[in-house]
């Protein structure tokens, strides 16, 4: 695990997202890496729970904090299947996450059926200007980054929605 590349870490997050979509949940997954090791993972469980704050990144951060018995994730990096929304970015900031690396962009997510509100998009743009290196796109092919959304859309079009 110590030898995993950024690409492999992103693939892990994308696989979590794809598996989550296959179970009828939204196609988002994230992992937390600290000192080269994956210490926590999370997937979007908002549909199952009815809790709209259960985004993959938030879930992964909650799990990491619970595992380490701390609210301080200094040095940790979030690898996520999709560009984090403002709630997830804020959760990373308040827990001292070092940075967040994503696979699919918000624009790609929107194209695949998950548009953000204009207000959220506007805030995201402002935050990017304020902290341009905090949330960055990782090294992963766009086709691979889109796979969780494809799995979600395939499941919906075949009528096997939960
Ligand atoms: Zn989010």
């Amino acid at each position: 695990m110590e030898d995993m590349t950024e690409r492999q870490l992103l693939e892990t997050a994308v696989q979590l997202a794809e598996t989550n979509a296959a179970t009828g949940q939204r196609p988002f997954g994230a992992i937390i890496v600290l000192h080269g090791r994956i210490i926590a993972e999370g997937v979007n469980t908002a549909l199952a729970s009815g809790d709209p704050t259960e985004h993959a990144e938030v879930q992964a951060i909650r799990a990491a904090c619970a595992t380490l018995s701390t609210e301080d994730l200094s040095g940790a990096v979030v690898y996520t299947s999709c560009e984090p929304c403002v709630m997830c970015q804020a959760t990373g900031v308040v827990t001292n996450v070092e940075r967040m690396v994503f696979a699919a962009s918000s624009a790609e997510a929107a194209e695949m059926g998950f548009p953000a509100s204009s207000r959220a998009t506007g805030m995201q743009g402002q935050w990017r200007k304020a902290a341009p290196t905090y949330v960055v796109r990782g090294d992963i092919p766009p086709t691979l980054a889109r796979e969780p959304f494809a799995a979600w859309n395939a499941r919906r079009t075949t009528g096997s929605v939960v």
Side-chain angles (χ1 to χ4, degrees):
M1 193 178 289
E2 273 82 357
D3 296 320
M4 286 179 81
T5 62
E6 175 182 282
R7 167 74 178 270
Q8 289 170 322
L9 292 166
L10 282 167
E11 284 175 0
T12 302
V14 167
Q15 278 164 12
L16 279 172
E18 195 167 349
T19 302
N20 203 45
T23 67
Q25 297 304 301
R26 292 191 178 123
F28 302 98
I31 57 172
I32 312 285
V33 176
L34 181 64
H35 305 315
R37 295 189 60 230
I38 298 173
I39 59 165
E41 63 181 46
V43 292
N44 186 307
T45 48
L47 281 180
S49 67
D51 180 346
T53 69
E54 291 187 357
H55 287 193
E57 299 92 329
V58 170
Q59 295 293 79
I61 288 168
R62 284 174 176 153
C65 288
T67 297
L68 300 177
S69 298
T70 180
E71 294 172 24
D72 182 5
L73 297 178
S74 293
V77 178
V78 173
Y79 291 88
T80 175
S81 64
C82 185
E83 188 169 354
C85 75
V86 287
M87 175 182 72
C88 292
Q89 290 185 45
T91 306
V93 169
V94 298
T95 53
N96 298 319
V97 163
E98 188 176 309
R99 66 195 179 101
M100 307 178 100
V101 184
F102 63 87
S105 69
S106 296
E108 288 167 325
E111 285 172 24
M112 298 296 281
F114 286 86
S117 70
S118 60
R119 183 159 37 178
T121 302
M123 283 183 72
Q124 221 169 18
Q126 289 174 7
W127 289 17
R128 178 168 292 184
K129 280 182 199 161
T133 59
Y134 188 67
V135 178
V136 295
R137 183 172 189 132
D139 173 27
I140 191 167
T143 49
L144 189 53
R146 286 171 182 252
E147 277 182 9
F149 299 105
W152 165 269
N153 287 325
R155 187 179 166 87
R156 290 177 72 81
T157 53
T158 55
S160 52
V161 174
V162 171

